Amino acid sequence: GVDDIDLPTCKEKGIKVNYVPDYCIQEVSDHTVALLLSLIRKIPLANRLVQAGRWEMPAVVPITRIRGTVLGLLGFGHIPSVVVPKAKAFGMTVIAYDPFCDKKLFEETGVESVDLDTLYKRSDYISVHAPHTPQTRGMVNAEAFGKMKKGVYIVNTARGPLIDEPALIAALDAGQVGGAALDVVMVEPLAKDSALLGRDNVIITPHTAFYSIEALDELQSKAASDVAHVLSGEKAVYPIGA
C-alpha cells in the first residue's frame, strides 16, 4: 500500500513512486483463510482452555458447519481472487463486491458479483480486502454492521482504518458480530487497553499476513529492481502514476 506516502507532493516535485502489489498474494490469502477457519472452529479458544487444564468440549459450543455457508469478499483484487479456490475447497459459496473490478474476473473465478447491501445481507462471513482511501476509510461502520446477518464473522487482512473500530466493538458487545479476526487495526501497535483484547471471539495477529521468508525476498528484490529501472531511464514495472 502507498497510503502513507504523500503522492500529490511527490507528483509536484517530480518524484516517481513505484510499489510492489503482487509479492504476498499467497501469504495474505492463506492468512485470511487461516484466520477464518480458526474463528469458525474456535481453535485459539480451545487451545487456551486446554493449556489452562480445561478439557471441556461444552465450553466451545456452538460451532457451525462450514460447508454450505457464504463468504463475502469486500474487494476483489489479486488477494481475494486467490482466496476463492481456498474457500471453495471447504464448501463455501463465495460472493464479492467490487465496483471497479473487471467482470471477466468474476466469471473466471465463478464468483457472483453483488452490490454492497446484498453482500452484507447474504454473507455468513465477510473478509475485507479493499485498499485504504478517503472513500473506504471507516466504510465498515455501525450502519454496515446493522445490515449484516446476526452473528456474522469479520476478517480483515487489508487495512485497519477500513473498519470503524468503536462500531465493531459495539457490534461484538451486542452479538450482532459473532466474532472478528484482524491482522490489522486502526492504530498499530494495538493499545494495551484496547476493548478488542480479552475476548474469546476475537483473534488478532500483529500485521503478519504478508510475511514469509520468500515473500520478503520477493518484495525487496522487486522494489530494488524497479528503482534500478527508473534510475536507468527505463519504464517502471509498478508505477503509481506520480
Side-chain angles (χ1 to χ4, degrees):
V2 293
D3 41 301
D4 56 351
I5 296 174
D6 188 343
L7 295 176
T9 298
C10 289
K11 185 175 183 178
E12 179 185 328
K13 294 183 177 294
I15 299 171
K16 295 184 182 297
V17 180
N18 305 341
Y19 74 139
V20 185
D22 58 356
Y23 77 96
C24 60
I25 293 170
Q26 292 297 335
E27 284 76 10
V28 179
S29 61
D30 285 346
H31 202 86
T32 297
V33 176
L35 285 175
L36 180 57
L37 294 176
S38 296
L39 197 60
I40 297 168
R41 297 299 308 171
K42 300 184 180 179
I43 291 171
L45 170 59
N47 178 64
R48 283 198 299 273
L49 292 172
V50 174
Q51 295 289 348
R54 296 175 58 189
W55 191 274
E56 304 172 25
M57 193 272 294
V60 299
V61 301
I63 295 175
T64 56
R65 179 175 290 172
I66 297 172
R67 182 166 294 277
T69 54
V70 177
L71 171 62
L73 302 173
L74 207 170
F76 200 51
H78 293 301
I79 291 167
S81 66
V82 178
V83 167
V84 174
K86 298 172 185 180
K88 285 188 174 184
F90 288 91
M92 299 180 206
T93 295
V94 184
I95 61 177
Y97 166 75
D98 192 327
F100 305 104
C101 181
D102 188 338
K103 297 302 180 185
K104 187 176 180 181
L105 181 59
F106 288 97
E107 296 170 5
E108 291 173 346
T109 55
V111 172
E112 182 183 354
S113 175
V114 298
D115 61 41
L116 192 54
D117 282 354
T118 299
L119 182 116
Y120 290 153
K121 182 179 179 180
R122 288 178 50 190
S123 300
D124 298 294
Y125 325 122
I126 293 175
S127 187
V128 180
H129 296 281
H132 178 206
T133 67
Q135 292 73 34
T136 61
R137 184 178 181 87
M139 69 179 297
V140 186
N141 51 27
E143 182 181 359
F145 290 128
K147 296 177 180 179
M148 297 177 191
K149 287 185 178 181
K150 187 174 180 62
V152 65
Y153 288 163
I154 306 291
V155 177
N156 188 6
T157 53
R159 287 290 184 267
L162 297 177
I163 295 179
D164 181 333
E165 223 160 81
L168 173 60
I169 291 165
L172 286 163
D173 288 342
Q176 177 62 21
V177 171
L182 312 171
D183 184 58
V184 288
V185 291
M186 286 186 69
V187 178
E188 298 177 6
L190 185 67
K192 293 181 179 180
D193 61 350
S194 170
L196 289 169
L197 295 173
R199 296 173 183 264
D200 291 336
N201 61 344
V202 175
I203 302 169
I204 303 176
T205 53
H207 206 145
T208 54
F210 76 95
Y211 178 76
S212 73
I213 295 170
E214 295 82 0
L216 195 58
D217 285 345
E218 186 179 4
L219 168 64
Q220 293 170 339
S221 61
K222 284 184 174 180
S225 177
D226 225 15
V227 168
H229 284 141
V230 173
L231 294 180
S232 300
E234 300 172 11
K235 186 177 180 180
V237 177
Y238 303 104
I240 286 293

